[in-house]
Amino acid sequence: MPEILVVDDDTSLRETVRDLLISANYEVVEAADGRAALEIIREHQPDAVLCDWKMPRAGGDFVLQQLRQDAVLPGLPVIVFTAFGDGESAMIAMQEGAYDFLVKPVDVDAVLLSLRRALHHSRLTKELELLQKDRFRDEHMAPLHDDASRLIGSSPSWIEVFKGIGQVARTDVTVLLQGETGTGKEVVARTIHQNSNRKQRPMITVNCAAIPAELAESELFGHERGSFTGAISQKIGRFEAANGGTIFLDEIGELPLALQPKLLRVLQERTFERVGSATSQKTDVRIIAATNRDLATEVAQERFRSDLYYRLNAFSIRLPPLRERLNDIAPLARYFLSRFARRNGSVESALSHECIQILEQHPFPGNVRELEQLMDRVAVKVAGRPIASDLLKSELSAQTGEGSSHFEDWEALPFHDAVSKWERHLIDRAMRHAGNNKAEAARLLGIQRRLLYEKLEHFGGGKRK
């Protein structure tokens, strides 16, 4: 019968967890703090540990650090549970070697499921130290260097993102970030890079949707002088520029099919050729890819290579949409208002409880990016004064196209003029929701990108990007 150590300074909670585990056929030993827990671990050698993160004498971070440094019971799985469910704690816990991170009040089924998985993992990996702990030698996670790259939130789905970052950051495993437009994929990619062993080397970002298909190979791999019309000098590609660092392939689902085998070769062999050259170049680069598409569906419909998909999907992190993170909307909104005030040397605008309720009821199809742009617009208009709920409602109505009559003033227009005006309204709304990302706007509208480009040029929407 597996023996579980329960560590918590709250006696009543410890007893509740003990009774739960006994009813599930586990033997249980208890400790009131991290120091007592280490003594019991050395004496009893339990099969797994359920440990509180914050305790007066010594918390979960102390237990994890000691287990790692002293090599006590290599492979002993530690499941952290805490009432302080912030993302930074989750990331640090996973980097320190925790098997899982649960937020109180913990769900009974979640605890038992995590425990079963931990014990199964432990049985399979007794000879290894817990969960890649050799890759997480630093006492604390690396700090984020760019204030704009902070990851705000403590909702359960967002904690899973932090846990994923903590698990994969110090490895060289290829990462696939999946989520809707505006969920923060580039911010997560930068956080992974900044907490990796490659952080002193560059991170190069490539927006696959923004590169014309005929230039994509040259952009990624470079070209030799004279290799095609207009190639007046040698060009170093993005993979060569990122050597030793990280390359972030945003909107990887937009990569032309003809170029996908060459990217697959880089993943498999770490070599490529510049356009017009027969000499292979070596590259040591960590690849992080991102997409708002369902690549499995793209593979099934033969719009994306299956072998490339499986290579990219070595480790996947799903970024939840903002509508699944309602508890994070208020701290995100306040962060954006605070950042705006710092950048512009102004007074930070207050956000009332009523305003927060209004924000939490909005669907935010543009996700965090939409919330960020909304807060910036509102901050400009209130100029440091408290934000009025009427202003916020007005901005949201204008943003979603649900304001005062869009149709009444069109009734007198000729048919074709009315259709043209409605088309422009739909395109403007899609572009706002997509954060001016044309590929995503076309997807939202259900039209081909080329048609969207033509419409934007017709409406004066700027050059193709």
Side-chain angles (χ1 to χ4, degrees):
M1 185 180 296
E3 185 176 63
I4 313 301
L5 170 61
V6 179
V7 189
D8 200 305
D9 59 308
D10 185 332
T11 304
S12 61
L13 178 61
R14 202 167 65 238
E15 291 174 350
T16 299
V17 175
R18 178 197 63 198
D19 294 343
L20 166 68
L21 296 178
I22 291 175
S23 66
N25 296 319
Y26 293 110
E27 292 183 357
V28 178
V29 288
E30 302 175 46
D33 59 62
R35 296 188 185 280
L38 288 172
E39 294 178 5
I40 292 174
I41 288 171
R42 292 187 177 96
E43 180 180 349
H44 286 261
Q45 297 190 353
D47 297 289
V49 179
L50 289 173
C51 185
D52 190 16
W53 185 246
K54 299 283 188 181
M55 291 179 284
R57 286 188 62 200
D61 55 343
F62 173 80
V63 173
L64 290 169
Q65 290 166 15
Q66 292 301 309
L67 288 176
R68 185 190 66 196
Q69 293 171 5
D70 299 345
V72 180
L73 287 185
L76 175 66
V78 178
I79 299 170
V80 171
F81 57 96
T82 178
F84 302 91
D86 61 283
E88 185 175 351
S89 295
M91 192 187 306
I92 293 174
M94 301 309 288
Q95 285 183 315
E96 291 290 354
Y99 180 83
D100 204 352
F101 186 93
L102 305 176
V103 179
K104 297 178 182 177
V106 290
D107 179 80
V108 170
D109 293 333
V111 172
L112 293 177
L113 177 61
S114 183
L115 190 56
R116 284 196 297 271
R117 289 174 173 171
L119 291 170
H120 178 67
H121 174 86
S122 180
R123 284 193 296 269
L124 295 176
T125 59
K126 281 289 186 182
E127 74 282 3
L128 298 178
E129 293 186 351
L130 175 64
L131 283 180
Q132 307 172 335
K133 70 179 183 181
D134 284 337
R135 293 169 179 164
F136 305 123
R137 286 296 182 186
D138 292 343
E139 187 168 312
H140 298 290
M141 70 173 192
L144 304 184
H145 304 297
D146 180 2
D147 189 48
S149 293
R150 289 186 63 201
L151 293 172
I152 308 294
S154 58
S155 61
S157 59
W158 198 237
I159 291 293
E160 292 299 316
V161 174
F162 277 99
K163 287 161 62 174
I165 294 171
Q167 289 172 318
V168 81
R170 297 292 173 84
T171 76
D172 265 345
V173 172
T174 300
V175 181
L176 180 62
L177 306 176
Q178 302 183 81
E180 298 176 7
T181 293
T183 50
K185 294 187 286 294
E186 184 169 356
V187 175
V188 170
R190 290 197 177 279
T191 304
I192 292 172
H193 174 71
Q194 290 166 357
N195 287 275
S196 75
N197 297 323
R198 297 174 179 266
K199 62 187 176 184
Q200 302 302 328
R201 300 293 297 167
M203 171 175 158
I204 303 295
T205 298
V206 181
N207 187 331
C208 299
I211 305 174
E214 60 273 15
L215 297 178
E217 184 175 0
S218 172
E219 284 294 321
L220 290 178
F221 306 122
H223 63 248
E224 299 292 347
R225 179 180 179 182
S227 56
F228 55 85
T229 303
I232 59 176
S233 62
Q234 185 190 71
K235 176 180 178 177
I236 300 299
R238 307 291 182 89
F239 271 92
E240 207 163 344
N243 191 42
T246 302
I247 189 164
F248 175 49
L249 301 176
D250 198 10
E251 299 193 58
I252 190 67
E254 303 292 334
L255 191 70
L257 265 173
L259 194 56
Q260 291 179 22
K262 297 186 178 181
L263 176 58
L264 180 63
R265 182 187 172 197
V266 175
L267 281 163
Q268 292 175 330
E269 303 175 15
R270 302 294 171 177
T271 61
F272 64 91
E273 288 89 33
R274 301 190 192 111
V275 177
S277 173
T279 304
S280 292
Q281 306 288 329
K282 289 186 176 296
T283 183
D284 172 25
V285 63
R286 200 263 185 88
I287 296 176
I288 302 176
T291 181
N292 53 37
R293 295 189 177 193
D294 183 346
L295 287 189
T297 300
E298 297 293 301
V299 168
Q301 297 179 357
E302 299 184 349
R303 292 196 294 261
F304 201 86
R305 290 180 62 104
S306 60
D307 46 6
L308 178 58
Y309 168 60
Y310 295 127
R311 280 282 181 176
L312 292 171
N313 199 29
F315 190 94
S316 178
I317 298 177
R318 174 187 176 269
L319 276 66
L322 194 53
R323 61 183 175 274
E324 293 181 9
R325 304 173 51 197
L326 294 183
N327 292 338
D328 294 340
I329 289 177
L332 278 166
R334 292 192 177 104
Y335 167 70
F336 292 135
L337 290 172
S338 175
R339 188 185 64 181
F340 179 89
R342 292 196 306 273
R343 288 180 174 179
N344 295 278
S346 60
V347 177
E348 182 179 339
S349 300
L351 198 63
S352 69
H353 179 67
E354 184 180 2
C355 286
I356 291 172
Q357 288 182 319
I358 293 169
L359 291 174
E360 290 177 345
Q361 291 169 3
H362 182 67
F364 283 105
N367 294 298
V368 177
R369 185 182 297 145
E370 180 184 347
L371 176 61
E372 177 183 12
Q373 293 170 349
L374 172 65
M375 290 297 99
D376 284 351
R377 288 200 312 275
V378 170
V380 169
K381 293 188 176 182
V382 300
R385 299 186 303 274
I387 298 171
S389 58
D390 288 345
L391 172 63
L392 190 59
K393 289 178 182 177
S394 175
E395 285 297 315
L396 286 170
S397 295
Q399 179 172 285
T400 57
E402 296 172 357
S404 61
S405 62
H406 295 286
F407 300 101
E408 290 84 343
D409 58 338
W410 298 358
E411 290 178 351
L413 291 175
F415 174 77
H416 292 293
D417 290 344
V419 170
S420 178
K421 193 165 185 177
W422 178 242
E423 277 187 344
R424 183 164 190 168
H425 162 70
L426 291 176
I427 289 172
D428 286 347
R429 186 173 66 174
M431 289 292 287
R432 284 196 302 271
H433 287 174
N436 290 323
N437 182 309
K438 295 183 177 69
E440 174 62 10
R443 189 190 70 80
L444 291 172
L445 291 166
I447 62 177
Q448 296 294 320
R449 274 190 292 165
R450 185 174 298 278
L451 176 58
L452 177 61
Y453 294 143
E454 292 172 355
K455 293 289 184 182
L456 286 170
E457 290 175 3
H458 174 70
F459 294 136
K463 297 180 179 179
R464 174 176 173 172
K465 295 183 179 178

